[in-house]
Amino acid sequence: MGRSFDGTDRYIATPELATAVNAAVVLGRPLLIKGEPGTGKTLLAEEIARSLDKPLFEWHVKSTTKAQQGLYEYDAVSRLRDSQLGDVRVQDIRHYIVKGNLWEAFESDVQPVLLIDEIDKADIEFPNDLLRELDRMEFYVYETRETVRARHRPIIVITSNNEKELPDAFLRRCFFHYIRFPDEETMTKIVDVHFPGLKRDLVAEALRTFFRLREAPGLKKKPTTSELLDWIRLLVAEDIAPEALRGDDARSLLPPLYGALLKNEQDVHLLEQLVFLSRRNAR
Amino acid sequence: MLVKFFFLLREAGVPATIPEFLALLEALRAGLADASAERFYYLARACLVKDERHYDRFDRAFAAHFRGIEGALATLARELPADWLARLEEARLSEEEKARIRALGGWEALMRALRERLAEQTARHQGGSKWIGTAGTSPFGAYGYNPEGVRIGQDGSRQRRATKVWDRREFANLDGDVELGTRNMKLALRRLRRYARSGAADELALGETIDATARSGGWLDVKMVPQRRNVVKVLLLLDVGGSMDEHVRVSAELFSAARAEFKHLEQYYFHNFPYERLWRDNRRRTELGVDTFELLRTYARDYRLVVVGDATMSPYEITEVGGSVEHWNAESGETWLRRLLQAYPRHVWINPQPEALWDGTRSIAITRGLLEGRMFPLTLSGLDAAIAELG
């Protein structure tokens, strides 16, 4: 068996995540990833491909995506146009079969990683339409009467944001992992790989502010990991001193550059009130 | 040994299936667990649990099986409902309180004793000095005055650092029966979508166009169809009576989720129970409001009626003429509710009051009778059931 996955130089994988990934790789089953937004679900496939040195195929699902589009599409309109123009290509239907991401992945010369991103965005029937394809790793092309089989069983990573329940038959075929929001220790590691050599005290202060913010009751949208990283990027760019982040700075009520963390005005307003109240009580 | 664990999981409400179990065995044979208990736990979870809402059940079953404590098994079937110890105020243990707990033998000892006591206790308990519940002096429970107490059902207890992963039960609040936020509600409501093509034909029907073109010997013949739209119509009646105050937040969330989800949504307010008048805008409740008969005439039978209210009041407010606390009602609330239910055959009542309290409240029992059981709690699973009923 080849190498196993345990994160990369820019992606921190907890042991639980690494276990799930390796199980999926070894047993050749799809891995279903759920979790809070911004916890690196989509990034995972990219990093698996990078760390195991395999090509990556991405299939981003939208609300209008059909399962068939991942396999292939029959471009009837082009064929119709060609027939009106008298093109000779029209005789061979294969010229009008457009391969989808799944087909491309099946044809890959080495074992590929296939990302099916945000599967829950599509129609409820979407996962059901892919059962056989993911199970047997083959599908049938009706137009040309041929069966396409995967040369190497791809490592399939599927992400979901829980907008729709996935069918049981589909879930049975997958491994499942829920990426939970990182604790402070993991978060420090994550910040470390993104900003190596950052001043320790700035990171500590930033994290403290960040976690305190996440704990504030009643926030509409809690800041996520990716927002924390953006914020730190800004802090570094603006060269903010760690002291400025400390709560006891009386000049400003909110952390500097809070716009990177809070994304709607109700939350900003709520936080202002909370900070104001806690100041008043402290006195 | 693992077969037993598998059945224990199913008993605990984790819907694991045989292929999934076989997948776990296959993974074990492939050496993925690597003789590490923690790795085995992660592996088993990835194989057998497909929904993070079941992580907590899995954790408990895992702890029970692999520690082999008979008592913990008994608690498994009887989980502590979160609302049982619903938090009313935000207060945390201070540093010196934590020190006192350490003096008592630390969390481990307390938790062990707690587990044993949980196995003994079956009913909700309040006050007193031994059983677990609220506002007592026993070391277990919440909002009590015993500083060395263990809080159950408290969100932020990060003190249990030293315990095993599965004992931390970090996914407890993801269980399906917990209250829900707007987003979850929207997702639940989304299941009530009914698509139909209606209105102007403004979308190209590709398949039909090709077909028609082929039939007409290659001359382009463009076919159009109307867009797909959600045609579900919802009539929402919200209780804003006094006893609803503690449910205001969750009701408001439900309302905002519904408004985002349904194009045809009509909402009206009532106080305690629907009578002859309803209010369009709660802020102007002193105004006359809308005649309920007018409402019945305005909205057709194909509207789905959703009533949100705690149905907690004196039974007279439902059954008696003149029973309303706010005005003189010439006909009883019961009569009015029956009229509404008859006018809209697809109806549900969503009750933010915890389901466990329903049997103890007479007015809820009466209302439930009127609805012939179509009353659902305001939780994710309750909303799911309600939507299924409406669909």
Side-chain angles (χ1 to χ4, degrees):
Chain A
M1 209 53 234
R3 273 171 296 167
S4 63
F5 175 79
D6 55 355
T8 64
D9 53 340
R10 57 179 191 209
Y11 190 87
I12 297 295
T14 54
E16 36 183 324
L17 178 59
T19 307
V21 170
N22 288 323
V25 172
V26 171
L27 297 187
R29 279 164 205 253
L31 175 63
L32 173 65
I33 296 287
K34 284 202 231 170
E36 269 190 56
T39 41
K41 295 190 290 290
T42 305
L43 218 55
L44 175 68
E46 225 170 89
E47 297 301 321
I48 294 176
R50 220 165 63 89
S51 115
L52 303 180
D53 206 11
K54 297 186 187 302
L56 173 70
F57 293 88
E58 294 176 54
W59 183 12
H60 298 281
V61 175
K62 291 188 282 184
S63 64
T64 50
T65 307
K66 297 268 175 296
Q68 186 66 32
Q69 292 168 348
L71 310 179
Y72 66 91
E73 278 181 292
Y74 171 39
D75 190 355
V77 174
S78 299
R79 196 175 186 206
L80 183 66
R81 185 200 55 215
D82 284 355
S83 82
Q84 304 225 318
L85 297 175
D87 198 314
V88 284
R89 276 159 47 93
V90 113
Q91 300 306 322
D92 192 350
I93 196 165
R94 262 174 295 186
H95 289 132
Y96 303 97
I97 302 273
V98 183
K99 289 174 188 171
N101 306 61
L102 209 60
W103 191 335
E104 302 268 0
F106 280 5
E107 273 193 338
S108 168
D109 291 328
V110 289
Q111 185 187 34
V113 176
L114 172 64
L115 167 70
I116 304 180
D117 202 17
E118 310 200 2
I119 193 165
D120 54 322
K121 292 274 180 297
D123 192 72
I124 288 182
E125 286 304 321
F126 180 87
N128 274 334
D129 293 345
L130 286 176
L131 286 184
R132 187 185 146 86
E133 283 72 16
L134 296 183
D135 220 20
R136 307 275 301 273
M137 299 286 178
E138 62 176 42
F139 61 89
Y140 185 72
V141 185
Y142 295 95
E143 282 77 1
T144 58
R145 294 186 185 80
E146 59 175 337
T147 303
V148 177
R149 259 185 211 96
R151 293 201 197 160
H152 305 274
R153 240 183 133 81
I155 300 168
I156 301 184
V157 179
I158 302 168
T159 71
S160 163
N161 278 320
N162 241 354
E163 290 202 6
K164 289 189 190 79
E165 297 254 338
L166 298 170
D168 290 341
F170 178 79
L171 292 175
R172 265 206 304 280
R173 287 165 169 83
C174 303
F175 284 114
F176 171 68
H177 182 73
Y178 180 85
I179 302 187
R180 118 186 117 74
F181 200 82
D183 53 14
E184 221 162 318
E185 192 187 325
T186 317
M187 193 57 108
T188 316
K189 283 192 206 151
I190 292 174
V191 173
D192 261 1
V193 299
H194 283 269
F195 306 103
L198 202 64
K199 278 173 270 171
R200 285 242 159 254
D201 39 352
L202 178 69
V203 175
E205 277 311 328
L207 280 181
R208 202 168 305 147
T209 311
F210 173 72
F211 277 100
R212 212 165 39 206
L213 204 56
R214 274 184 63 88
E215 274 171 22
L219 277 194
K220 276 198 158 177
K221 184 188 172 305
K222 291 183 175 178
T224 65
T225 314
S226 53
E227 279 154 350
L228 169 71
L229 295 177
D230 283 346
W231 184 51
I232 293 181
R233 197 166 290 142
L234 280 174
L235 291 177
V236 175
E238 296 279 316
D239 206 14
I240 303 263
E243 295 77 47
L245 295 179
R246 218 160 277 155
D248 42 83
D249 179 6
R251 274 168 304 170
S252 71
L253 288 175
L254 294 169
L257 305 165
Y258 60 84
L261 292 172
L262 297 175
K263 298 290 168 69
N264 69 56
E265 70 280 7
Q266 285 105 315
D267 282 353
V268 174
H269 188 64
L270 178 84
L271 194 71
E272 271 172 350
Q273 283 179 325
L274 281 175
V275 174
F276 178 71
L277 282 176
S278 73
R279 289 278 158 73
R280 203 175 52 181
N281 291 342
R283 258 169 220 152
Chain B
M1 171 191 170
L2 280 182
V3 176
K4 251 190 195 157
F5 173 56
F6 175 63
F7 280 106
L8 181 66
L9 271 184
R10 289 185 59 94
E11 225 170 90
V14 178
T17 60
I18 297 167
E20 286 164 323
F21 180 58
L22 294 179
L24 170 64
L25 296 182
E26 202 183 330
L28 288 176
R29 206 172 49 187
L32 285 163
D34 215 17
S36 135
E38 203 159 298
R39 201 81 67 78
F40 170 69
Y41 162 75
Y42 293 141
L43 194 62
R45 200 177 65 182
C47 291
L48 299 171
V49 190
K50 299 298 157 70
D51 191 333
E52 70 276 12
R53 284 177 298 179
H54 299 151
Y55 271 5
D56 187 46
R57 297 180 193 171
F58 178 82
D59 285 359
R60 273 175 295 159
F62 194 94
H65 184 76
F66 292 96
R67 205 177 305 115
I69 291 176
E70 296 295 322
L73 256 164
T75 21
L76 200 71
R78 195 181 61 236
E79 75 181 275
L80 272 178
D83 54 63
W84 201 49
L85 297 144
R87 181 183 46 193
L88 294 166
E89 52 178 355
E90 178 75 20
R92 297 215 171 145
L93 290 176
S94 70
E95 278 305 317
E96 59 187 282
E97 282 168 342
K98 284 181 199 160
R100 278 215 212 164
I101 287 160
R102 280 194 289 276
L104 272 172
W107 282 96
E108 288 276 302
L110 273 178
M111 294 320 276
R112 206 165 38 242
L114 164 67
R115 220 167 268 137
E116 279 157 20
R117 205 164 288 182
L118 267 176
E120 284 178 70
Q121 180 184 357
T122 49
R124 181 191 156 93
H125 179 76
Q126 201 160 4
S129 60
K130 182 179 180 192
W131 292 126
I132 303 149
T134 48
T137 52
S138 148
F140 305 117
Y143 328 118
Y145 300 103
N146 188 336
E148 55 267 46
V150 177
R151 281 161 184 267
I152 310 166
Q154 173 200 32
D155 293 335
S157 77
R158 244 172 264 102
Q159 288 93 333
R160 280 175 277 167
R161 269 267 155 77
T163 46
K164 300 249 170 15
V165 207
W166 47 90
D167 266 348
R168 282 189 216 144
R169 296 193 43 204
E170 278 157 339
F171 294 92
N173 54 359
L174 291 175
D175 207 318
D177 293 325
V178 202
E179 268 189 33
L180 48 173
T182 358
R183 185 170 175 73
N184 288 342
M185 285 186 193
K186 276 187 204 156
L187 298 177
L189 294 175
R190 201 162 282 183
R191 270 165 228 154
L192 193 56
R193 284 178 177 176
R194 289 286 172 280
Y195 283 111
R197 295 191 181 276
S198 63
D202 54 358
E203 215 173 57
L204 177 69
L206 188 57
E208 284 162 45
T209 303
I210 294 170
D211 197 39
T213 306
R215 275 174 211 284
S216 61
W219 289 110
L220 260 182
D221 184 3
V222 175
K223 296 282 175 202
M224 306 289 277
V225 285
Q227 263 181 34
R228 261 158 44 104
R229 288 191 175 90
N230 192 358
V231 291
V232 160
K233 299 172 185 167
V234 176
L235 183 58
L236 186 64
L237 302 187
L238 292 154
D239 185 358
V240 284
S243 57
M244 279 294 282
D245 283 355
E246 50 186 302
H247 309 299
V248 157
R249 190 186 55 87
V250 69
S251 303
E253 280 179 0
L254 176 69
F255 174 58
S256 76
R259 197 168 46 184
E261 213 39 59
F262 301 115
K263 215 169 169 187
H264 304 280
L265 173 77
E266 305 292 340
Q267 93 281 353
Y268 287 89
Y269 298 95
F270 62 93
H271 308 137
N272 285 352
F273 214 77
Y275 299 107
E276 65 275 7
R277 299 213 156 265
L278 299 166
W279 285 265
R280 186 97 211 185
D281 185 342
N282 186 38
R283 272 166 300 182
R284 281 176 279 163
R285 58 193 276 181
T286 44
E287 286 178 17
L288 207 47
V290 182
D291 191 332
T292 308
F293 272 129
E294 194 183 314
L295 181 105
L296 293 174
R297 283 195 301 271
T298 312
Y299 303 109
R301 270 174 83 80
D302 59 348
Y303 268 85
R304 283 151 168 90
L305 177 69
V306 178
V307 187
V308 181
D310 60 357
T312 304
M313 64 201 89
S314 136
Y316 301 113
E317 291 180 53
I318 303 177
T319 54
E320 299 302 316
V321 169
S324 166
V325 283
E326 290 189 349
H327 69 298
W328 174 263
N329 52 313
E331 285 174 290
S332 69
E334 186 181 337
T335 316
W336 281 109
L337 184 62
R338 275 190 203 283
R339 265 181 203 142
L340 282 165
L341 299 184
Q342 212 181 357
Y344 304 105
R346 274 182 287 201
H347 52 252
V348 289
W349 185 299
I350 294 175
N351 195 333
Q353 200 73 265
E355 207 173 351
L357 303 179
W358 289 7
D359 287 333
T361 315
R362 240 196 94 212
S363 57
I364 295 186
I366 296 173
T367 315
R368 246 175 123 185
L370 288 172
L371 283 148
E372 286 159 0
R374 274 183 260 193
M375 182 183 279
F376 301 92
L378 188 40
T379 58
L380 199 51
S381 44
L383 209 52
D384 270 355
I387 295 301
E389 190 66 50
L390 286 176

